[in-house]
Amino acid sequence: MDIHKLQEIVHKTRDARRQQTIPKYSPADRDQLIKKFHPDFRGAAYRPLTFGPNAGEMTVRELAALLEGDSPLPADFDLTPHYTTDVLVVGGGGAGCAAVLHAHAAGAKVILATKLRLGDSNTVMAQGGMQIAVTQEDSPVTHFLDTLKGGHMKNDHQLLKTMVEEGPSIAKWLLGLGVLFDRDADGNLHVKKGGGSSKPRLLTASDYTGLEIMRVLKDEVLNQKIQLLEFCAAVELLSNENGTCTGAVLRDLDNQRYVVVAAKTVILATGGIGRLHIQGFPTSNHYGATGDGLAMAYRMGAKLMHVDTFQYHPSGAVYPEQLIGALVTEGIRSEGGHLVNAKGERFVNELDTRDVVSSSIIRECKEGRGIRTMSGRVGVWLDTPLLDAEQGPGTVKKHFPAMVMQFERFGIDISKDPVLIYPTLHYQNGGVKIDTNGESEAKNLFVAGEASGGLHGRNRLMGNSLLDIMVFGKRSGSTAAARAATLSQGALTLGHLDRFRAEAKKSGVSSDVICPMILPAYARKE
Ligand code: MEZ
């Protein structure tokens, strides 16, 4: 059926929905709902890791194949360095930029290597805001408790305490650098409420918060004349005879050659794994999100945390086809946008935690209350025109200019027509285990941002990722610089890789997967 015909139900039921009581879930209902419908609980999608630091733990098959894949480097690879530095930062998103700026400020010689261009990352795609307790009514303790509850109490308490307590100083740092967060008429920072949060705590820059933060961080990296290696993807770490990290090998994508960097400390800020499309899900992630850092750290012997849990953001675009999986910010639900099924009913508190909202959407679609497009995709409606209806004409355009533009390119006016959405693979809740300074279990190897794990437990709250990358970017950058000042450059070997390969052989694993994959392979085989 024509999409406009299908949309009619949303307009027709708006008044009735205003009176509707939304279903309330008890803790037991929530658990049951998640276990039944959340993709984290589809047993067939999982298998145990055969060897390595997390041997025996379950993860999705796509990630297991990646972690057990082989390095592109031969054992006798020439490790003569092309560059020597104190701190090598791998990744040009928010965590990488924060790390390199703080390491540089601490006096270290630094290099920032990035797979694509500086700034190409999930950070620029973060829309709805950054959680920091900045108001009188809020506190880091409340932020801590909300996040712990959202993460099913599985968050690393020390990491979480560090993040929420350092939030206000991060806001100050970013404002000082020139980030233009939204303000109220009286000039105070404007805060919004995100899903699973008890207080309004989101600092925003319209619906392009991550882009605004990256605008400033990129400028600062350029202003500070940080040495950049763009289009250079890390493919392997280097270690000395004790297994301590001593640098990395990069693949120079422009010149199709390998580049060896000797570094006293290395910080991985390589982001997530959306482009592995686990369980066939579309993703909101950028093209470089292929889990490179996880695989390299695993080969180096660093333990991973929570490798069995992923975040499926409730609102990924389902229509038009060109936008499949693209993020439709939670900010729209924060401002009152209803989720509506094919019967014209609300079916969940739109500001519940993401795992609950996504599970409810999947349930509606599985039980026949979804809306099917002509190409056979299924989703539920997000009533975007409701915002104009409730708050006055022009609200959608004023508050969500990036979202409006994204759909306008395909002739869709989201202030008039609701948006069809379905959960999209958005975030890896876990990652490399780190301490509060960002150091992994492999000495002198630091990890910041989405590639690290433990902070968010089993479900991240909206806006905590932007704070995570700034706090742990800063802490890993400063600590890696201070550590480097105490070290001389270690030997460059592939000893850890030899051990990894021997372990694979002993476990009977022979993989034809070469990893990192660097970029997703979308070309059709034929
Ligand atoms: O933190 C996020 O994932 C985020 C802010 C997303 C969004 O819906 O805008």
Side-chain angles (χ1 to χ4, degrees), residues 43-48 58-67 278-279:
Y46 282 73
R47 75 156 169 88
M58 300 295 274
T59 190
V60 281
R61 292 172 184 279
E62 296 86 346
L63 183 56
L66 187 89
L67 294 176
I278 61 178
Q279 300 196 41

Side-chain angles (χ1 to χ4, degrees), residues 126-129 202 311 313 327-331 333 354 426 460-466:
Q127 297 169 354
L202 285 164
Q311 181 160 85
H313 190 292
L327 186 63
V328 179
T329 179
E330 186 170 324
R333 282 177 281 129
R354 285 182 177 168
H426 186 58
R460 177 176 67 79
L461 290 191
M462 172 191 195
N464 268 347
S465 173
L466 284 178

Side-chain angles (χ1 to χ4, degrees), residues 150-388:
H152 296 270
M153 309 289 178
K154 299 292 184 209
N155 318 54
D156 178 314
H157 289 197
Q158 287 310 316
L159 293 180
L160 181 52
K161 179 172 181 290
T162 305
M163 180 182 83
V164 298
E165 284 181 352
E166 293 202 2
S169 71
I170 291 293
K172 217 167 155 189
W173 182 62
L174 291 174
L175 288 164
L177 286 178
V179 173
L180 298 170
F181 286 122
D182 296 331
R183 290 184 180 269
D184 291 335
D186 57 9
N188 290 328
L189 287 168
H190 178 70
V191 281
K192 285 187 189 171
K193 197 164 165 181
S197 299
S198 60
K199 301 276 179 207
R201 183 183 298 131
L202 285 164
L203 298 181
T204 57
S206 279
D207 59 345
Y208 44 80
T209 312
L211 188 64
E212 167 61 9
I213 291 173
M214 274 311 298
R215 173 185 73 81
V216 169
L217 291 181
K218 267 170 67 175
D219 271 1
E220 193 59 14
V221 166
L222 298 175
N223 285 343
Q224 297 296 332
K225 306 204 177 351
I226 303 289
Q227 183 171 8
L228 285 177
L229 298 176
E230 287 183 300
F231 297 101
C232 283
V235 295
E236 191 59 67
L237 294 166
L238 298 171
S239 57
N240 66 10
E241 54 290 350
N242 304 320
T244 297
C245 187
T246 54
V249 179
L250 316 176
R251 180 75 180 161
D252 174 347
L253 301 176
D254 273 341
N255 301 300
Q256 296 295 313
R257 60 174 194 137
Y258 287 112
V259 172
V260 177
V261 183
K264 293 175 186 166
T265 54
V266 174
I267 303 173
L268 292 175
T270 46
I273 54 128
R275 290 285 159 180
L276 297 187
H277 293 289
I278 61 178
Q279 300 196 41
F281 269 81
T283 184
S284 58
N285 286 186
H286 83 114
Y287 284 98
T290 50
D292 307 2
L294 291 190
M296 287 186 286
Y298 197 67
R299 286 210 282 262
M300 190 78 181
K303 199 168 168 59
L304 309 180
M305 292 280 294
H306 299 148
V307 281
D308 59 335
T309 166
F310 303 87
Q311 181 160 85
Y312 301 82
H313 190 292
S315 43
V318 171
Y319 180 88
E321 287 284 316
Q322 295 93 326
L323 291 181
I324 298 298
L327 186 63
V328 179
T329 179
E330 186 170 324
I332 294 179
R333 282 177 281 129
S334 300
E335 288 215 18
H338 291 171
L339 290 173
V340 184
N341 65 17
K343 294 166 81 179
E345 294 162 346
R346 290 173 77 184
F347 51 88
V348 66
N349 170 3
E350 288 83 359
L351 284 187
D352 210 321
T353 51
R354 285 182 177 168
D355 49 0
V356 168
V357 179
S358 288
S359 300
S360 304
I361 295 170
I362 293 172
R363 178 197 61 206
E364 293 304 291
C365 293
K366 277 217 163 112
E367 294 182 351
R369 296 182 295 278
I371 297 96
R372 197 166 285 279
T373 67
M374 279 180 293
S375 66
R377 294 185 191 271
V378 68
V380 298
W381 296 114
L382 174 61
D383 188 358
T384 41
L386 176 66
L387 270 51
D388 275 17

